[in-house]
Amino acid sequence: MNLGRLLTNTARRRPQETALIWGDRRWSWAALNARVDALVAALAGLGLEQGERVLVQARNSNQMFETLWATFKLGAVWVPCNFRLSPPEVAHLAASSGARVMIADGEFADHVAAVRTKVPALTSFVAIGEGLSGADDYEAMIEPHIGTTLLEAEVNYDDPCWFFYTSGTTGLPKAAVLTHGQLAFVVNNHIADLMPGLGMQPGVRDVSLAMAPLSHGAGAHALSQVARGVPTVLSDNRRFDEAQLWRLIQEHRVTNFFSVPTMLTRLARSPEADRVDHASLRHVIYAGAPMYRADQVEALRVFGSVLVQYYGLGEVTGNITLLPPDDHVMDDGEMRIGSCGFARTGMEIAIKNSEGRRLDAGESGEICVRGPAVFAGYYNNPEANAKALKDGWFHTGDLGRLDEAGYLYITGRASDMYICNGANIYPRDAEEVLLTHPQVAEVAVLGVPDPAVGEMGVAVVVLSREGAASSEADLLGFLDGKLAKYKWPRRVIFWDELPKSGYGKVPKHIIRQGLYERGEVQSGDGA
């Protein structure tokens, strides 16, 4: 089935019910579907054909939402960019995807200019709002086609519908090819595992809040909402505004949202957390990176027994593990601390060593996964496919272990591990302990080259309040008795804040570069 039919079917069942809310504007399912069908007709009028790619550089908006469904219905491929990417990065996505059409907010004129320069074959541009010269106006383009009725393009299970670009922490981003059939499984699995009863619970009116960019995890989350006729509330994502998000949760009686741990922690720590009514929340979902135990406890205090964690990558569309509300508890003695849950329905996890041998419970190695949520491969990248897709398994590049009950524990990225005096060190071990210090707000531990020990650990720490008195000696002493000494970082460096990627993660390669540029790690330290 063409995934675009999810919208068509919901619009038929619930034509006058609310589908999308953005600020003071609302669209019914019928109105939203009519606009999407009009965009399909307009894109076809530009000569866009089935299988061709549509590059989208836009913030969350009704138009951004519409581009996803119109591209699906046309049988084309949606190529959304994180709106925080730079012009050269967006130009790379345009070139590597072979995009045929670009749709962009007017504020991204520099990005469009970079694409025009790098990809002269891309000649069709559509502007959302003002600010782009030489581009068709989005609203003017769809207006003549409002009222057009159409059938979704016929597609096969393995036909691509979304190029989900990796975040590119090592090398250039790669386009993970998501297909109609694969995403259909993901939609069903999200409803079954993450949000059971979504849109079908007697007496419950589900409402979803999109606070993260639709270009990635929040977009995948939205597919399930449309399938179940659940309205989506779009936040103003020009900046992460905790007060605004709490207000939207209370005003619209939000029942679910997708976030990453840094977002969830900021919400839990904001003053509004204890001032607004958020009793409507049923599924507070977080993913994208492991959550430190101290932050998890704080989120449990604020949100209650509604936390749902999953582990996944774009290549598996967030569909590897599930840690449901029943497995989130305040008591450390009862909590599987550090676990991101057990295998999602229909998926299988294996821990493998470097020779590809499957390891037993308790042994650490690379996390590998197989099942119908695994992507079709990287677009036009046989070398990456050969590395990631071997022996029927997708090799995630993450390191972890399974316990006897099948719960997964992530120990870090293979690229994050460093070797000090011959011992493999996983930064997360020290990070977890340091974060329990009352004056530590954020921490990142990474290895840097050192001629004496091979690599030494450096902890970059953000203190919880201005003027906090913690010192390097204090924090290293705090590890005593809590962590084996060989795992201790050799140095502690204090920053005002840690850099965040467009996906809310803390990219350690940027921290490492910052250490060198600031001169905090010198040649004498092995830089």
Side-chain angles (χ1 to χ4, degrees):
M1 184 194 78
N2 185 315
L3 272 182
R5 195 157 188 84
L6 293 175
L7 175 60
T8 303
N9 289 342
T10 297
R12 288 174 175 173
R13 292 196 316 272
R14 303 180 175 184
Q16 300 311 313
E17 294 183 21
T18 300
L20 192 63
I21 301 169
W22 186 31
D24 58 359
R25 304 178 67 190
R26 292 173 180 248
W27 293 265
S28 68
W29 289 108
L32 178 65
N33 191 55
R35 284 180 58 86
V36 168
D37 284 352
L39 180 57
V40 172
L43 291 173
L46 293 177
L48 186 71
E49 297 182 353
Q50 187 165 346
E52 292 186 316
R53 274 74 67 193
V54 179
L55 187 79
V56 182
Q57 172 72 9
R59 297 178 184 273
N60 286 1
S61 64
N62 67 294
Q63 292 96 337
M64 173 65 164
F65 198 76
E66 291 159 5
T67 64
L68 180 156
W69 296 100
T71 305
F72 284 4
K73 285 192 177 193
L74 188 58
V77 182
W78 196 48
V79 187
C81 307
N82 190 302
F83 67 81
R84 297 180 180 91
L85 294 181
S86 67
E89 289 172 315
V90 171
H92 166 71
L93 268 58
S96 62
S97 67
R100 169 74 170 74
V101 174
M102 181 177 184
I103 302 175
D105 285 344
E107 67 181 275
F108 296 115
D110 290 345
H111 297 71
V112 171
V115 170
R116 289 185 191 274
T117 299
K118 187 176 181 69
V119 193
L122 202 169
T123 56
S124 293
F125 294 87
V126 179
I128 300 172
E130 300 178 351
L132 298 183
S133 60
D136 294 309
D137 179 77
Y138 185 102
E139 295 297 330
M141 192 175 74
I142 71 170
E143 180 61 31
H145 300 288
I146 296 291
T148 299
T149 57
L150 53 83
L151 290 175
E152 298 80 12
E154 293 291 329
V155 298
N156 295 315
Y157 186 99
D158 292 326
D159 281 353
C161 62
W162 186 338
F163 281 2
F164 196 114
Y165 270 86
T166 64
S167 55
T169 55
T170 56
L172 292 171
K174 302 183 293 291
V177 179
L178 310 184
T179 72
H180 284 270
Q182 176 232 353
L183 280 180
F185 173 83
V186 169
V187 168
N188 279 289
N189 192 282
H190 273 39
I191 294 170
D193 281 0
L194 298 183
M195 299 164 286
L198 179 70
M200 308 287 280
Q201 199 86 346
V204 176
R205 177 183 176 271
D206 277 305
V207 178
S208 183
L209 172 62
M211 63 176 68
L214 291 170
S215 53
H216 286 74
H221 184 81
L223 300 181
S224 302
Q225 312 306 317
V226 171
R228 281 289 178 261
V230 173
T232 293
V233 179
L234 299 177
S235 68
D236 178 1
N237 63 346
R238 290 184 177 276
R239 64 187 182 92
F240 190 84
D241 185 337
E242 296 94 327
Q244 178 215 39
L245 294 170
W246 279 119
R247 177 183 59 78
L248 292 174
I249 289 169
Q250 177 175 265
E251 178 182 346
H252 298 289
R253 308 298 299 160
V254 168
T255 59
N256 75 71
F257 63 78
F258 164 84
S259 66
V260 298
T262 51
M263 292 179 175
L264 198 59
T265 299
R266 288 182 61 177
L267 283 172
R269 290 177 178 171
S270 69
E272 290 78 16
D274 295 319
R275 298 174 186 167
V276 304
D277 178 6
H278 53 80
S280 58
L281 289 169
R282 296 197 304 131
H283 302 113
V284 173
I285 298 165
Y286 65 99
M291 191 172 196
Y292 296 114
R293 176 58 177 164
D295 293 342
Q296 199 175 55
V297 169
E298 192 164 17
L300 275 167
R301 179 191 67 79
V302 171
F303 293 100
S305 299
V306 296
L307 297 189
V308 183
Q309 181 184 180
Y310 72 76
Y311 159 61
L313 297 85
E315 293 91 337
V316 198
T317 325
N319 229 85
I320 296 178
T321 69
L322 165 71
L323 192 73
D326 285 352
D327 279 322
H328 282 84
V329 294
M330 297 283 284
D331 187 344
D332 285 358
E334 297 180 16
M335 179 75 187
R336 286 185 167 89
I337 296 175
S339 175
C340 58
F342 50 85
R344 295 279 287 274
T345 304
M347 302 300 292
E348 184 180 3
I349 300 167
I351 305 299
K352 296 194 172 189
N353 65 12
S354 57
E355 288 78 42
R357 180 175 67 84
R358 192 166 185 160
L359 301 176
D360 294 332
E363 295 186 281
S364 295
E366 184 177 14
I367 302 168
C368 300
V369 61
R370 64 183 175 188
V374 174
F375 73 142
Y378 297 109
Y379 178 68
N380 201 26
N381 199 331
E383 182 179 349
N385 288 332
K387 182 178 180 181
L389 297 165
K390 295 182 290 187
D391 304 323
W393 293 84
F394 170 62
H395 293 245
T396 66
D398 288 333
L399 302 173
R401 59 182 174 83
L402 291 167
D403 66 16
E404 292 287 351
Y407 283 77
L408 179 66
Y409 298 76
I410 302 171
T411 54
R413 289 289 295 176
S415 57
D416 287 345
M417 185 196 77
Y418 63 94
I419 301 174
C420 181
N421 282 327
N424 292 348
I425 310 296
Y426 300 100
R428 185 171 171 82
D429 292 339
E431 290 169 346
E432 283 277 11
V433 178
L434 286 170
L435 203 68
T436 65
H437 190 286
Q439 292 180 339
V440 172
E442 292 183 294
V443 60
V445 175
L446 60 154
V448 297
D450 181 86
V453 297
E455 291 177 290
M456 73 167 182
V458 175
V460 180
V461 172
V462 177
L463 296 176
S464 57
R465 65 179 186 274
E466 188 176 349
S470 291
S471 65
E472 179 179 75
D474 175 44
L475 291 184
L476 291 178
F478 183 73
L479 297 174
D480 196 15
K482 302 180 180 73
L483 186 70
K485 197 158 188 176
Y486 78 92
K487 297 181 180 180
W488 290 18
R490 299 295 182 96
R491 290 188 56 194
V492 177
I493 294 172
F494 297 96
W495 284 9
D496 293 334
E497 61 180 353
L498 295 183
K500 306 292 192 304
S501 73
Y503 313 101
K505 300 179 183 180
V506 177
K508 291 190 176 178
H509 69 293
I510 295 179
I511 295 176
R512 181 177 288 106
Q513 181 181 346
L515 288 170
Y516 294 158
E517 289 176 350
R518 294 171 183 227
E520 292 169 320
V521 176
Q522 303 291 341
S523 57
D525 296 326

